Amino acid sequence: MTQSVSFRITRTAEDVAETLNALSQRLIKLENRLESLELQLERQSSEVNTMPAEEMERLDGVDRLLTDCKDLLLRSEPQWVDPPSSVMSSEQDLAA
């Protein structure tokens, strides 16, 4: 009976060792894949951040134009809006 117990323990230890080895191999593959994905993400991130100089100049020009338009709109008095007094008199006419 001692021999069969010893065989079972040895067999179980071998199974555990094989499982541990398989898990270790899988872990190594996953670590390599993670490293590859991180490098790919880093590369894509750096490509997005490096915008061509021409495009940056164009965007700066658009930004300046928008700022100029905004300044013009703020400085000019809108002509398409009725003066407040006519609005008040229209409201008074409606109330009467």
Side-chain angles (χ1 to χ4, degrees):
M1 181 152 175
T2 307
Q3 290 177 345
S4 73
V5 171
S6 175
F7 173 76
R8 286 187 191 140
I9 292 172
T10 304
R11 183 68 181 147
T12 304
E14 287 175 6
D15 289 344
V16 169
E18 287 176 11
T19 303
L20 186 59
N21 185 34
L23 288 172
S24 296
Q25 293 300 317
R26 180 72 178 144
L27 180 61
I28 290 170
K29 286 180 185 178
L30 288 172
E31 286 174 340
N32 289 337
R33 185 173 177 198
L34 177 62
E35 185 178 347
S36 171
L37 288 172
E38 286 174 343
L39 287 173
Q40 184 180 2
L41 181 63
E42 204 174 288
R43 225 177 289 126
Q44 287 175 349
S45 173
S46 68
E47 287 174 3
V48 167
N49 291 335
T50 56
M51 193 178 291
E54 262 181 39
E55 193 170 344
M56 284 298 289
E57 288 174 18
R58 247 184 277 135
L59 290 174
D60 286 341
V62 169
D63 192 39
R64 280 191 300 273
L65 285 172
L66 287 173
T67 303
D68 292 347
C69 290
K70 191 175 184 180
D71 289 343
L72 283 172
L73 287 172
L74 290 174
R75 280 186 277 158
S76 66
E77 197 170 310
Q79 298 174 358
W80 61 86
V81 176
D82 293 333
S85 61
S86 66
V87 172
M88 291 294 285
S89 63
S90 297
E91 289 176 2
Q92 288 172 354
D93 291 342
L94 289 175

